[in-house]
């Protein structure tokens, strides 16, 4: 584990409640650190890691943003506000940005936590056990990876815009360091979001799409019809298939 990396504390903040000792997870974190350091993303570098580990990183990152990064930025904006006159354009821009950005990011992450990640969990469970096929069959009637992508948008560009806006104004003469700290925080957060987006869009989504495709192929094989009657027929066939599997296991145990 390259603890001497400048980005090591930033990445490991996500794992502060868990001691990382597993070899595969250690290699995953080392791969992440290379992305942060080299600023080059190659999705193939993450092929060896299971989808569950990718999902875990995504969820930990969501918590990290709302429990640490956004509160730090909010605090810096509050401190900086005390060094400009009331109504200064930079204060209006920062306050409007932060309120709008937090709301937008919250909706973005809530959509992933409420729909995408539970859907991926269903895909994983259905892959591991035929007993869960009926659950994914029902879920796919109103959700899919394609639907997620149609509703998805990135948020890191907004951070770049606000950084450019801040630079239009001079730092306060009595405390330039707060101005520099805020710019640095926004830049670090922007890079972190960029890595997060790459992992989500180029690693997690392709993995989930392949899993979804494999399961859909199995479902089509069991019941080609996709109308409501076909759904009922498929569930009946799945129950019959599971019953036969359980019966076979029982016979083998005798």
């Amino acid at each position: 584990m390259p603890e001497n990396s400048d980005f090591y504390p930033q990445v490991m903040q996500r794992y502060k409640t868990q001691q990382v000792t597993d070899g595969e997870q250690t290699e995953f974190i080392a791969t992440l650190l290379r992305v942060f350091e080299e600023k080059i993303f190659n999705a193939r570098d993450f092929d060896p890691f299971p989808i569950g580990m990718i999902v875990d990183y995504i969820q930990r990152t969501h918590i990290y943003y709302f429990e640490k990064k956004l509160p730090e930025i909010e605090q810096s904006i509050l401190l900086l506000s005390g060094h400009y006159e009331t109504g200064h354009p930079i204060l209006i821009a920062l306050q409007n940005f932060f309120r709008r950005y937090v709301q937008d990011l919250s909706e973005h992450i809530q959509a992933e936590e409420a729909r995408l990640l539970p859907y991926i969990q269903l895909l994983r469970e259905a892959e591991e056990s035929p007993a869960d096929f009926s659950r994914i069959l029902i879920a796919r009637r109103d959700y899919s990876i394609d639907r997620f992508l149609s509703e998805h948008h990135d948020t890191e560009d907004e951070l770049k815009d606000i950084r450019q806006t801040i630079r239009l104004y001079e730092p306060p003469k009595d405390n330039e360091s707060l101005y520099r700290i805020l710019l640095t925080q926004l830049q670090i957060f922007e890079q972190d979001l960029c890595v997060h987006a790459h992992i989500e869009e180029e690693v997690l989504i392709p993995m989930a799409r392949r899993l979804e495709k494999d399961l859909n192929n199995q479902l089509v094989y069991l019941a080609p019809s996709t109308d409501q009657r076909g759904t009922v027929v498929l569930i009946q066939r799945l129950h019959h298939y599971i019953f036969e599997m359980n019966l076979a296991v029982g016979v083998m145990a005798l």
Side-chain angles (χ1 to χ4, degrees), residues 54-226:
I54 307 300
V55 169
D56 179 67
Y57 173 79
I58 295 292
Q59 291 177 314
R60 288 177 182 275
T61 297
H62 291 168
I63 295 170
Y64 171 65
Y65 288 167
F66 282 101
E67 291 187 356
K68 183 169 178 63
K69 299 310 294 180
L70 289 174
E72 287 178 348
I73 293 171
E74 182 179 27
Q75 179 69 11
S76 292
I77 292 174
L78 182 62
L79 291 174
L80 187 62
S81 298
H83 295 272
Y84 284 99
E85 295 180 0
T86 303
H88 192 286
I90 194 173
L91 299 184
I92 297 173
L94 284 172
Q95 290 162 3
N96 289 342
F97 153 76
F98 191 77
R99 182 172 57 252
R100 184 182 67 252
Y101 185 78
V102 170
Q103 180 179 352
D104 187 39
L105 187 61
S106 296
E107 292 173 355
H108 177 100
I109 287 177
Q110 285 170 8
E112 294 179 4
E113 293 285 348
R115 300 297 303 275
L116 175 66
L117 300 183
Y119 178 73
I120 292 175
Q121 180 61 25
L122 281 178
L123 292 174
R124 294 172 61 201
E125 291 172 357
E127 179 190 37
E128 295 171 1
S129 170
D132 292 304
F133 268 31
S134 58
R135 294 172 61 204
I136 195 61
L137 176 66
I138 294 170
R140 73 171 189 162
R141 292 173 64 182
D142 64 354
Y143 197 75
S144 67
I145 298 300
D146 283 341
R147 177 168 176 179
F148 165 74
L149 291 174
S150 70
E151 299 170 350
H152 181 71
H153 67 281
D154 294 331
T155 57
E156 59 268 22
D157 288 344
E158 297 173 52
L159 291 171
K160 185 182 299 182
D161 292 341
I162 192 61
R163 283 199 297 114
Q164 292 173 346
T165 299
I166 292 172
R167 288 196 175 96
L168 295 176
Y169 303 97
E170 292 293 325
K173 295 179 180 179
D174 60 338
N175 197 329
E176 292 191 16
S177 62
L178 287 174
Y179 178 95
R180 309 295 178 196
I181 288 170
L182 178 58
L183 282 174
T184 300
Q185 286 175 325
L186 291 171
Q187 186 174 11
I188 291 172
F189 190 36
E190 181 185 331
Q191 184 194 7
D192 203 296
L193 275 167
C194 185
V195 173
H196 177 76
H198 279 305
I199 291 175
E200 184 178 276
E201 296 167 11
E202 299 179 39
V203 179
L204 178 63
I205 294 304
M207 283 182 172
R209 191 191 286 279
R210 287 193 294 270
L211 189 53
E212 183 184 55
K213 182 179 178 181
D214 290 343
L215 291 171
N216 283 340
N217 288 339
Q218 294 181 52
L219 294 172
V220 168
Y221 174 77
L222 287 169
S225 176
T226 57

